Amino acid sequence: TGENALSAFEGRVVLEGLLSLLTKRQRQVLELVFFEQYTYDEVATELSITRQTAHATATRALEKLRDAADKHNIELSDLMAD
């Protein structure tokens, strides 16, 4: 319905706003891991970083997103649901 489409649109806008708080590298890592389904080894190869750096970058990025979402009473899982 139109109401659901608006909710999905609003969710995308909020998620984009949260993602804008991340560094370029943090966004790259999360996009590869969560949207492109890359493994951390594949991310490391793609971005010329170590696997440990890829994992640590994703962890810090998710913490930053959760902290920002919590401050605004937003559930990240709600934003990423279809």
Side-chain angles (χ1 to χ4, degrees):
T1 66
E3 188 173 317
N4 288 340
L6 182 60
S7 295
F9 173 76
E10 288 172 337
R12 280 193 299 275
V13 169
V14 171
L15 184 57
E16 287 173 13
L18 291 173
L19 290 173
S20 74
L21 300 172
L22 303 177
T23 66
K24 180 180 178 182
R25 176 56 52 96
Q26 287 173 328
R27 284 191 308 275
Q28 288 175 317
V29 170
L30 289 187
E31 287 173 7
L32 291 173
V33 170
F34 291 103
F35 299 115
E36 301 296 328
Q37 305 299 310
Y38 278 39
T39 66
Y40 288 114
D41 288 325
E42 292 168 329
V43 171
T45 299
E46 180 75 19
L47 300 179
S48 299
I49 59 178
T50 67
R51 182 190 187 287
Q52 292 80 8
T53 298
H55 187 270
T57 300
T59 299
R60 282 193 302 276
L62 288 172
E63 287 172 359
K64 188 183 267 188
L65 289 177
R66 283 189 195 105
D67 289 346
D70 286 347
K71 287 179 184 176
H72 299 285
N73 296 317
I74 298 168
E75 286 290 329
L76 284 180
S77 59
D78 291 343
L79 297 177
M80 301 177 97
D82 288 332

